[in-house]
Amino acid sequence: MRWAQEMQAASYRALLVWSRGRTVAAVSGLRWMAPSVNQQHSLQYSVSSQRCSGCKWRYEADRMVKVMARKVEIGFYNTVSGFTLNAARPVTPDLFEEALIHLQKKVEFLQVCLPQRYGRMWIADMDTMPKIDFQVVKDGSLWDLVKNRTKATYNVADGPLWAARLVVCPPEEPCKLPQVKDAFPHQYHLVFNWNHATTDGVGMVSMQQIFFTLLDDMLDVAQVDDKLIGKMRDRNEDRAIEAKIKETLEKDPQRLKVLLEEVSRYKTRVPLITEIFGEPQEPYPDTISLPKQVLDHKLLQVFIAKCKANKVTFNSGFGGLMNAALVELAREAGLERDSYTISSYHSVDTRRYKSDVSSVMWGYHACNMTHTMETPCNIRKSFWKYVVDYDTKFRNHLKTNGPFQDRMLDHMVLAAMPDRKLKATHDFFYVNLYSPRTKSFGSGKHIQQTDYCSCSPLTKTDYGMTNTIVSFRDQVMIQPHISSGFITAANAAKFIDKVIGMFNDISKTSD
């Protein structure tokens, strides 16, 4: 009750700040998200010195870049991904390093740092090139290596804002694809970590594809050039959209008040998944990776065909499937209702809102979006009708610049609560990195990808479970991660098992 009262009061404080004419500072300045004590320390560290006097200044960092940089410094959004690579012949660490140097010269976000210029943070090229953070690690599993790198720190002012670690596996190291190891016996774990302030998931996946091709070409003794791929780009168009939203809301303070109250109420909700399983009493929460679950290839093709027949995206089809699975778990737990409110979080690629996107666009171009659905108790009987509604609401929100408005309202409410307690309000974060139109990579002439995993710390988020759909070679799989303070591994496994079971049933059912 006290939390609800605080959030309601916060919405009025946020509206008061807006109405008193301090909105410009709230929208475009650092005060839009009030920093905690740790964040204040981090911010002082970031602006403590003038650096990079001989480098190329690209553009001033905007509010989102600064926010992401602060979050990374306090251990939030320090994302890591890793691969197991198998080669036909030995690959020396020196060759890996040479490939990384070529990669840095081709990909601009690997060339930049975040120095201060007259007291303001900028995106700038490092003053020395190449400059890479690459080390060979003695041993460790792929997951252990990935998990350890979530604690990595960065020299923000000088760079680099990314790093790579390599493990040369012993001959007896098991391989997830033993049939591949027969022909490609030399095995390596390679892990990348990066500062989220200068790139996003889309950029990271594109960079990894470029690196894999580079390394395979080098092993083929092919000519490798350092020609740039893509271009670093600022968020000017995003800010123009946000300014237009601000202008519209300023003209309708009553609507703004209603929207802020909705956000405040939402931030008091208990996720349905928490109602079902309860909240673990874990004094020291940690991020845990659950086993990846591979979707049956034939059933996947059937499911994709059904999505097309109903004129919905695969993203909406699988999102609706996860909601349906959660409803069935609720009913099995004795939570009988006519419908259930389910809230999922989605990472939106804001490149869709930009003009002249003719090549790879580097930089941070993401916006998290809340998608809340009332899901009927008899969801199986009306599954595809529900998915159509899910898809319609999702698309409409995207078309009307909803993610930007959500972010603005969310920051307004949170800025009015500098001493707020962290609380999970979403049932899960759904990240779809798979598209039926996207060609998978990892099967090279001289090198093969035999395993993959990623991790982003979840213990400081307002969601405690991430379900990522990702393609790996010719497989499509779910990769779940949880915060042990949000849900236990056993209960999260029950949810994933229910998702897989429903996927199989719905794909096999005649509509």
Side-chain angles (χ1 to χ4, degrees), residues 148-164:
N148 288 338
R149 293 304 295 167
T150 61
K151 302 180 181 69
T153 58
Y154 304 90
N155 183 338
V156 176
D158 297 321
L161 301 182
W162 64 286

Side-chain angles (χ1 to χ4, degrees), residues 449-489:
Q449 181 182 334
T450 55
D451 197 10
Y452 164 82
C453 70
S454 65
C455 183
S456 184
L458 299 180
T459 56
K460 298 179 181 180
T461 64
D462 56 358
Y463 52 90
M465 182 177 191
T466 300
N467 299 308
T468 304
I469 310 298
V470 62
S471 59
F472 170 72
R473 295 174 67 102
D474 59 348
Q475 297 177 333
V476 177
M477 60 186 71
I478 309 175
Q479 183 181 19
H481 290 101
I482 63 167
S483 166
S484 59
F486 177 73
I487 188 172
T488 66

Side-chain angles (χ1 to χ4, degrees), residues 301-320:
Q301 302 313 307
V302 173
F303 188 82
I304 291 172
K306 290 187 175 186
C307 289
K308 289 181 178 178
N310 286 278
K311 299 180 180 179
V312 300
T313 63
F314 170 81
N315 181 77
S316 293
F318 211 90

Side-chain angles (χ1 to χ4, degrees), residues 36 44 52-53 93-94 103 134 139 164 172 180 195 197 212 233 237 248 255 286 301 338 388 409 413 461 464 474 499:
S36 65
Q44 290 170 355
C52 204
S53 58
D94 286 345
L103 179 71
F134 171 67
D139 54 25
E172 65 274 11
V180 174
N195 191 312
F212 186 89
R233 192 153 155 184
E237 289 174 281
T248 301
R255 178 169 175 263
D286 195 11
Q301 302 313 307
D338 293 336
V388 170
L409 294 170
V413 170
T461 64
D474 59 348
V499 171

Side-chain angles (χ1 to χ4, degrees), residues 158-230:
D158 297 321
L161 301 182
W162 64 286
R165 295 292 182 267
L166 175 71
V167 171
V168 180
C169 302
E172 65 274 11
E173 179 97 3
C175 180
K176 291 292 181 68
L177 299 176
Q179 70 277 15
V180 174
K181 192 173 183 181
D182 291 341
F184 299 83
H186 304 280
Q187 187 163 296
Y188 310 86
H189 300 319
L190 181 67
V191 168
F192 290 97
N193 59 275
W194 71 94
N195 191 312
H196 230 320
T198 55
T199 189
D200 50 32
V202 172
M204 199 61 196
V205 171
S206 298
M207 180 275 284
Q208 290 164 348
Q209 291 173 332
I210 293 169
F211 175 79
F212 186 89
T213 302
L214 262 175
L215 185 60
D216 201 52
D217 287 346
M218 291 174 68
L219 290 170
D220 200 36
V221 198
Q223 185 69 32
V224 175
D225 65 62
D226 292 329
K227 183 179 178 180
L228 283 173
I229 296 177

